[in-house]
Amino acid sequence: MSAQILDGKGTAEQIRYEIKDEVARFIEETGVQPTLAVVLVGDDPASQVYVRNKENACAKVGVRSLMYRLPKETTSDELCELIEKLDGDESVHGILVQLPLPKGIDEKRILDLIDPRKDVDAFHPENVGLLSQGRPRFLPCTPYGIQRLLARYNIETKGKRVVVIGRSDIVGKPMGLLFLQKGLGGDATVTICHSQTENLPEIVREADIVVAAIGKAEFVTADMIKPGAVVVDVGMNRVQREIVDENGEKKTISKLVGDVDFDAVKEVASWITPVPGGVGPLTVTMLLLNTLNGARRQVAATR
Ligand code: NAP
Protein backbone atom coordinates (compact mmCIF):
# COMPACT_ATOMS: atom_id res chain seq x y z
CA MET A 1 0.00 0.00 0.00
CA SER A 2 1.21 3.48 -0.84
CA ALA A 3 2.16 5.88 1.99
CA GLN A 4 -0.06 8.81 2.92
CA ILE A 5 1.33 12.26 2.24
CA LEU A 6 2.40 14.60 5.02
CA ASP A 7 1.24 17.79 3.36
CA GLY A 8 3.72 20.45 4.46
CA LYS A 9 2.34 23.08 2.12
CA GLY A 10 -1.23 22.76 3.38
CA THR A 11 -0.10 22.56 7.01
CA ALA A 12 2.06 25.66 6.55
CA GLU A 13 -0.91 27.53 5.09
CA GLN A 14 -3.09 26.60 8.06
CA ILE A 15 -0.44 27.68 10.57
CA ARG A 16 0.15 30.96 8.69
CA TYR A 17 -3.56 31.66 8.87
CA GLU A 18 -3.40 31.23 12.64
CA ILE A 19 -0.26 33.40 12.87
CA LYS A 20 -1.97 36.17 10.88
CA ASP A 21 -4.79 36.26 13.46
CA GLU A 22 -2.35 36.26 16.35
CA VAL A 23 -0.28 39.06 14.81
CA ALA A 24 -3.41 41.20 14.32
CA ARG A 25 -4.44 40.61 17.94
CA PHE A 26 -0.93 41.42 19.19
CA ILE A 27 -0.86 44.70 17.27
CA GLU A 28 -4.29 45.63 18.59
CA GLU A 29 -3.29 44.91 22.18
CA THR A 30 0.20 46.46 22.17
CA GLY A 31 0.34 48.89 19.26
CA VAL A 32 3.58 47.15 18.24
CA GLN A 33 4.08 45.46 14.86
CA PRO A 34 6.34 42.37 15.01
CA THR A 35 9.38 43.21 12.89
CA LEU A 36 11.99 41.01 11.25
CA ALA A 37 15.27 42.42 9.92
CA VAL A 38 16.67 40.33 7.06
CA VAL A 39 20.30 40.79 6.07
CA LEU A 40 21.52 39.55 2.69
CA VAL A 41 25.16 39.97 1.72
CA GLY A 42 26.22 39.39 -1.88
CA ASP A 43 24.33 38.22 -4.94
CA ASP A 44 23.91 34.45 -4.55
CA PRO A 45 20.81 33.70 -6.69
CA ALA A 46 19.40 30.99 -4.35
CA SER A 47 19.77 33.28 -1.32
CA GLN A 48 17.98 36.06 -3.19
CA VAL A 49 15.02 33.73 -3.82
CA TYR A 50 14.93 32.58 -0.16
CA VAL A 51 15.04 36.16 1.08
CA ARG A 52 12.25 37.23 -1.29
CA ASN A 53 10.11 34.31 -0.07
CA LYS A 54 10.67 35.37 3.54
CA GLU A 55 9.78 38.97 2.72
CA ASN A 56 6.53 37.89 1.00
CA ALA A 57 5.63 35.51 3.82
CA CYS A 58 6.06 38.32 6.37
CA ALA A 59 3.83 40.66 4.38
CA LYS A 60 1.05 38.05 4.16
CA VAL A 61 0.74 37.64 7.95
CA GLY A 62 1.26 41.30 8.91
CA VAL A 63 4.87 41.01 10.11
CA ARG A 64 6.98 44.01 9.05
CA SER A 65 10.22 43.07 7.29
CA LEU A 66 13.23 45.35 6.96
CA MET A 67 15.54 44.34 4.14
CA TYR A 68 19.26 45.03 4.21
CA ARG A 69 20.90 44.10 0.91
CA LEU A 70 24.66 44.58 1.13
CA PRO A 71 27.33 44.19 -1.58
CA LYS A 72 29.54 41.09 -1.58
CA GLU A 73 32.56 43.30 -0.77
CA THR A 74 31.07 44.04 2.68
CA THR A 75 33.63 43.39 5.46
CA SER A 76 33.05 41.54 8.74
CA ASP A 77 33.47 44.85 10.61
CA GLU A 78 30.82 46.58 8.48
CA LEU A 79 28.40 43.70 8.98
CA CYS A 80 29.07 43.69 12.73
CA GLU A 81 28.25 47.39 12.81
CA LEU A 82 24.85 46.72 11.20
CA ILE A 83 24.07 43.82 13.57
CA GLU A 84 24.93 45.98 16.60
CA LYS A 85 22.61 48.68 15.28
CA LEU A 86 19.76 46.16 14.85
CA ASP A 87 20.46 44.64 18.30
CA GLY A 88 19.95 48.07 19.83
CA ASP A 89 16.84 48.93 17.83
CA GLU A 90 13.78 48.33 20.03
CA SER A 91 11.45 48.20 17.04
CA VAL A 92 13.28 45.11 15.66
CA HIS A 93 12.24 41.78 17.22
CA GLY A 94 13.99 39.29 14.95
CA ILE A 95 17.30 39.39 13.06
CA LEU A 96 18.07 36.94 10.30
CA VAL A 97 21.36 36.82 8.42
CA GLN A 98 20.92 34.80 5.23
CA LEU A 99 23.54 32.06 4.92
CA PRO A 100 25.92 31.29 3.38
CA LEU A 101 27.84 34.55 3.79
CA PRO A 102 30.44 35.38 1.12
CA LYS A 103 33.94 33.97 1.68
CA GLY A 104 36.04 36.25 3.85
CA ILE A 105 33.24 37.11 6.27
CA ASP A 106 33.58 35.53 9.70
CA GLU A 107 30.21 33.76 9.95
CA LYS A 108 30.56 32.65 13.59
CA ARG A 109 31.51 36.17 14.70
CA ILE A 110 28.44 37.61 12.97
CA LEU A 111 25.96 35.02 14.26
CA ASP A 112 27.34 35.24 17.82
CA LEU A 113 26.79 39.00 17.75
CA ILE A 114 23.03 38.74 17.19
CA ASP A 115 21.15 39.49 20.42
CA PRO A 116 19.95 36.00 21.53
CA ARG A 117 16.50 37.48 22.25
CA LYS A 118 16.26 38.40 18.53
CA ASP A 119 17.93 35.24 17.18
CA VAL A 120 14.90 33.86 15.29
CA ASP A 121 17.03 31.20 13.56
CA ALA A 122 18.14 29.89 16.98
CA PHE A 123 21.81 29.68 15.96
CA HIS A 124 23.25 31.63 18.92
CA PRO A 125 25.18 29.45 21.42
CA GLU A 126 22.92 30.70 24.23
CA ASN A 127 19.81 29.51 22.37
CA VAL A 128 21.46 26.20 21.41
CA GLY A 129 22.38 25.72 25.08
CA LEU A 130 18.86 26.50 26.27
CA LEU A 131 17.45 24.00 23.78
CA SER A 132 19.87 21.29 24.86
CA GLN A 133 18.84 21.89 28.50
CA GLY A 134 15.19 21.42 27.56
CA ARG A 135 14.14 25.04 28.15
CA PRO A 136 14.22 26.52 24.66
CA ARG A 137 13.72 30.20 23.86
CA PHE A 138 13.56 29.95 20.06
CA LEU A 139 13.23 26.60 18.30
CA PRO A 140 15.27 26.20 15.09
CA CYS A 141 12.88 26.70 12.17
CA THR A 142 13.27 23.50 10.12
CA PRO A 143 13.20 21.01 13.03
CA TYR A 144 10.39 23.00 14.68
CA GLY A 145 8.38 22.82 11.43
CA ILE A 146 8.89 19.06 11.25
CA GLN A 147 7.75 18.64 14.84
CA ARG A 148 4.61 20.69 14.14
CA LEU A 149 3.92 18.71 10.94
CA LEU A 150 4.07 15.37 12.77
CA ALA A 151 1.82 16.77 15.52
CA ARG A 152 -0.77 17.91 12.98
CA TYR A 153 -1.03 14.34 11.71
CA ASN A 154 -1.12 12.90 15.25
CA ILE A 155 2.07 10.98 14.65
CA GLU A 156 3.26 9.75 18.02
CA THR A 157 6.94 10.23 18.86
CA LYS A 158 6.85 9.04 22.47
CA GLY A 159 8.87 5.85 22.87
CA LYS A 160 9.55 5.63 19.12
CA ARG A 161 12.90 4.90 17.51
CA VAL A 162 13.90 7.97 15.49
CA VAL A 163 16.87 8.06 13.15
CA VAL A 164 18.06 11.45 11.90
CA ILE A 165 20.51 11.27 8.99
CA GLY A 166 22.73 14.36 9.05
CA ARG A 167 24.36 16.20 11.97
CA SER A 168 24.38 19.82 10.79
CA ASP A 169 23.90 22.64 13.30
CA ILE A 170 20.91 23.85 11.26
CA VAL A 171 18.92 20.64 10.88
CA GLY A 172 20.32 17.31 12.11
CA LYS A 173 21.58 18.15 15.61
CA PRO A 174 18.65 20.37 16.70
CA MET A 175 16.21 17.86 15.17
CA GLY A 176 17.69 15.16 17.38
CA LEU A 177 17.43 17.47 20.42
CA LEU A 178 13.76 18.24 19.72
CA PHE A 179 12.86 14.55 19.53
CA LEU A 180 14.73 14.06 22.82
CA GLN A 181 12.78 16.75 24.70
CA LYS A 182 10.41 15.59 27.38
CA GLY A 183 6.75 15.87 26.44
CA LEU A 184 4.67 16.31 23.32
CA GLY A 185 6.60 15.84 20.06
CA GLY A 186 9.53 14.41 22.03
CA ASP A 187 10.23 11.44 24.32
CA ALA A 188 11.72 9.50 21.40
CA THR A 189 14.81 7.29 21.37
CA VAL A 190 17.11 9.11 18.99
CA THR A 191 20.05 8.10 16.81
CA ILE A 192 21.89 10.67 14.69
CA CYS A 193 23.84 9.33 11.71
CA HIS A 194 26.41 11.08 9.52
CA SER A 195 28.98 10.42 6.84
CA GLN A 196 31.18 8.36 9.19
CA THR A 197 28.37 6.11 10.45
CA GLU A 198 29.00 2.42 9.88
CA ASN A 199 26.15 0.14 8.77
CA LEU A 200 23.88 3.12 8.09
CA PRO A 201 21.18 1.17 6.21
CA GLU A 202 20.89 -1.30 9.11
CA ILE A 203 20.45 1.52 11.62
CA VAL A 204 17.90 3.36 9.47
CA ARG A 205 15.92 0.12 9.05
CA GLU A 206 15.29 0.06 12.82
CA ALA A 207 13.56 3.43 12.77
CA ASP A 208 9.87 4.14 13.28
CA ILE A 209 10.56 7.70 12.10
CA VAL A 210 13.35 8.66 9.68
CA VAL A 211 14.43 12.25 9.04
CA ALA A 212 16.81 12.62 6.09
CA ALA A 213 18.87 15.84 6.06
CA ILE A 214 21.91 14.98 4.01
CA GLY A 215 21.91 17.00 0.81
CA LYS A 216 22.35 13.96 -1.49
CA ALA A 217 19.67 13.31 -4.09
CA GLU A 218 17.57 10.18 -3.41
CA PHE A 219 20.13 8.74 -1.01
CA VAL A 220 17.55 6.94 1.14
CA THR A 221 16.25 3.92 -0.74
CA ALA A 222 13.28 1.63 -0.08
CA ASP A 223 15.42 -1.20 1.30
CA MET A 224 16.57 1.10 4.17
CA ILE A 225 13.01 1.67 5.40
CA LYS A 226 11.10 -0.51 7.84
CA PRO A 227 7.61 -1.22 6.48
CA GLY A 228 5.19 1.29 8.00
CA ALA A 229 7.85 3.82 9.04
CA VAL A 230 7.27 7.59 8.80
CA VAL A 231 9.73 9.32 6.45
CA VAL A 232 10.52 13.03 6.53
CA ASP A 233 12.66 14.37 3.70
CA VAL A 234 14.48 17.65 4.38
CA GLY A 235 16.74 17.49 1.34
CA MET A 236 16.51 19.95 -1.54
CA ASN A 237 18.67 18.91 -4.45
CA ARG A 238 18.57 20.20 -8.01
CA VAL A 239 19.22 17.43 -10.54
CA GLN A 240 19.17 17.13 -14.32
CA ARG A 241 16.78 14.46 -15.62
CA GLU A 242 16.24 13.14 -19.12
CA ILE A 243 12.56 12.82 -20.05
CA VAL A 244 10.62 11.97 -23.17
CA ASP A 245 8.17 14.75 -24.03
CA GLU A 246 4.68 14.41 -25.56
CA ASN A 247 6.23 14.35 -29.08
CA GLY A 248 8.42 11.42 -28.13
CA GLU A 249 11.54 13.58 -28.04
CA LYS A 250 14.18 13.27 -25.34
CA LYS A 251 15.00 16.40 -23.39
CA THR A 252 16.82 17.32 -20.20
CA ILE A 253 14.96 19.10 -17.43
CA SER A 254 16.06 20.48 -14.09
CA LYS A 255 14.13 19.01 -11.16
CA LEU A 256 14.03 19.51 -7.40
CA VAL A 257 14.35 16.21 -5.53
CA GLY A 258 14.82 15.28 -1.90
CA ASP A 259 17.26 13.02 -0.07
CA VAL A 260 14.72 10.19 -0.30
CA ASP A 261 13.87 8.07 -3.35
CA PHE A 262 10.23 9.15 -3.06
CA ASP A 263 8.61 6.83 -5.62
CA ALA A 264 10.14 3.66 -4.17
CA VAL A 265 10.03 4.62 -0.48
CA LYS A 266 6.37 5.62 -0.58
CA GLU A 267 5.56 1.96 -1.31
CA VAL A 268 7.10 0.92 2.03
CA ALA A 269 6.45 3.85 4.39
CA SER A 270 3.16 4.70 6.13
CA TRP A 271 3.63 8.48 5.86
CA ILE A 272 6.03 10.52 3.75
CA THR A 273 6.78 14.17 2.94
CA PRO A 274 7.05 15.14 -0.74
CA VAL A 275 9.71 17.43 -2.22
CA PRO A 276 8.70 20.13 -2.96
CA GLY A 277 5.69 20.80 -0.75
CA GLY A 278 6.94 19.03 2.38
CA VAL A 279 9.33 20.51 4.91
CA GLY A 280 10.28 23.67 2.95
CA PRO A 281 7.10 25.75 3.45
CA LEU A 282 7.13 24.98 7.18
CA THR A 283 10.61 26.40 7.69
CA VAL A 284 9.56 29.92 6.65
CA THR A 285 6.33 29.58 8.66
CA MET A 286 8.24 28.85 11.86
CA LEU A 287 10.38 31.91 11.18
CA LEU A 288 7.20 34.02 11.28
CA LEU A 289 6.12 32.35 14.51
CA ASN A 290 9.54 32.93 16.08
CA THR A 291 9.38 36.61 15.13
CA LEU A 292 5.94 36.97 16.73
CA ASN A 293 7.09 35.15 19.88
CA GLY A 294 10.25 37.29 20.01
CA ALA A 295 8.08 40.42 19.84
CA ARG A 296 5.79 39.09 22.58
CA ARG A 297 8.70 38.46 24.95
CA GLN A 298 10.44 41.75 24.19
CA VAL A 299 7.29 43.82 24.66
CA ALA A 300 6.41 41.93 27.88
CA ALA A 301 9.90 42.63 29.25
CA THR A 302 9.49 46.39 28.83
CA ARG A 303 5.98 46.76 30.32
P1 NAP B 1 24.92 19.94 5.61
O1 NAP B 1 25.30 20.99 6.58
O2 NAP B 1 25.70 19.77 4.36
O3 NAP B 1 24.95 18.54 6.41
C1 NAP B 1 24.74 17.34 5.75
C2 NAP B 1 24.88 16.21 6.74
O4 NAP B 1 24.69 14.99 6.04
C3 NAP B 1 26.25 16.14 7.41
O5 NAP B 1 26.10 15.90 8.79
C4 NAP B 1 26.92 14.97 6.71
O6 NAP B 1 27.80 14.24 7.54
C5 NAP B 1 25.74 14.10 6.37
N1 NAP B 1 26.06 13.24 5.23
C6 NAP B 1 26.61 13.58 4.04
N2 NAP B 1 26.80 12.49 3.28
C7 NAP B 1 26.39 11.44 4.01
C8 NAP B 1 26.33 10.05 3.79
N3 NAP B 1 26.78 9.50 2.64
N4 NAP B 1 25.84 9.26 4.75
C9 NAP B 1 25.40 9.77 5.92
N5 NAP B 1 25.41 11.09 6.20
C10 NAP B 1 25.91 11.90 5.25
O7 NAP B 1 23.41 20.05 5.18
P2 NAP B 1 22.11 20.71 5.90
O8 NAP B 1 22.26 22.18 5.96
O9 NAP B 1 21.78 19.94 7.15
O10 NAP B 1 21.02 20.37 4.78
C11 NAP B 1 20.73 19.06 4.37
C12 NAP B 1 19.75 19.12 3.22
O11 NAP B 1 18.55 19.73 3.66
C13 NAP B 1 20.20 19.94 2.01
O12 NAP B 1 19.68 19.36 0.84
C14 NAP B 1 19.57 21.29 2.25
O13 NAP B 1 19.33 22.00 1.03
C15 NAP B 1 18.26 20.87 2.86
N6 NAP B 1 17.62 21.87 3.73
C16 NAP B 1 16.30 22.08 3.55
C17 NAP B 1 15.63 22.95 4.38
C18 NAP B 1 14.16 23.14 4.17
O14 NAP B 1 13.60 24.08 4.70
N7 NAP B 1 13.52 22.25 3.41
C19 NAP B 1 16.30 23.63 5.39
C20 NAP B 1 17.66 23.38 5.57
C21 NAP B 1 18.31 22.47 4.73
P3 NAP B 1 29.18 14.87 8.11
O15 NAP B 1 28.77 15.79 9.22
O16 NAP B 1 29.93 13.69 8.58
O17 NAP B 1 29.82 15.60 6.97
Side-chain angles (χ1 to χ4, degrees), residues 142 165-168 171 194-196 200 213-216 219 234-237 259 279-280 283:
T142 302
I165 320 176
R167 59 174 163 181
S168 70
V171 189
H194 46 78
S195 67
Q196 306 308 308
L200 184 126
I214 317 159
K216 290 206 153 69
F219 177 91
V234 184
M236 290 197 301
N237 311 288
D259 289 342
V279 173
T283 298

Side-chain angles (χ1 to χ4, degrees), residues 78-94:
E78 286 165 340
L79 194 49
C80 284
E81 213 172 286
L82 172 62
I83 301 296
E84 278 169 346
K85 191 182 113 201
L86 296 171
D87 280 347
D89 184 341
E90 253 187 43
S91 72
V92 170
H93 309 106

Side-chain angles (χ1 to χ4, degrees), residues 256-274:
L256 192 67
V257 300
D259 289 342
V260 173
D261 179 359
F262 180 85
D263 288 337
V265 169
K266 80 175 189 323
E267 299 307 323
V268 186
S270 58
W271 291 93
I272 189 166
T273 59

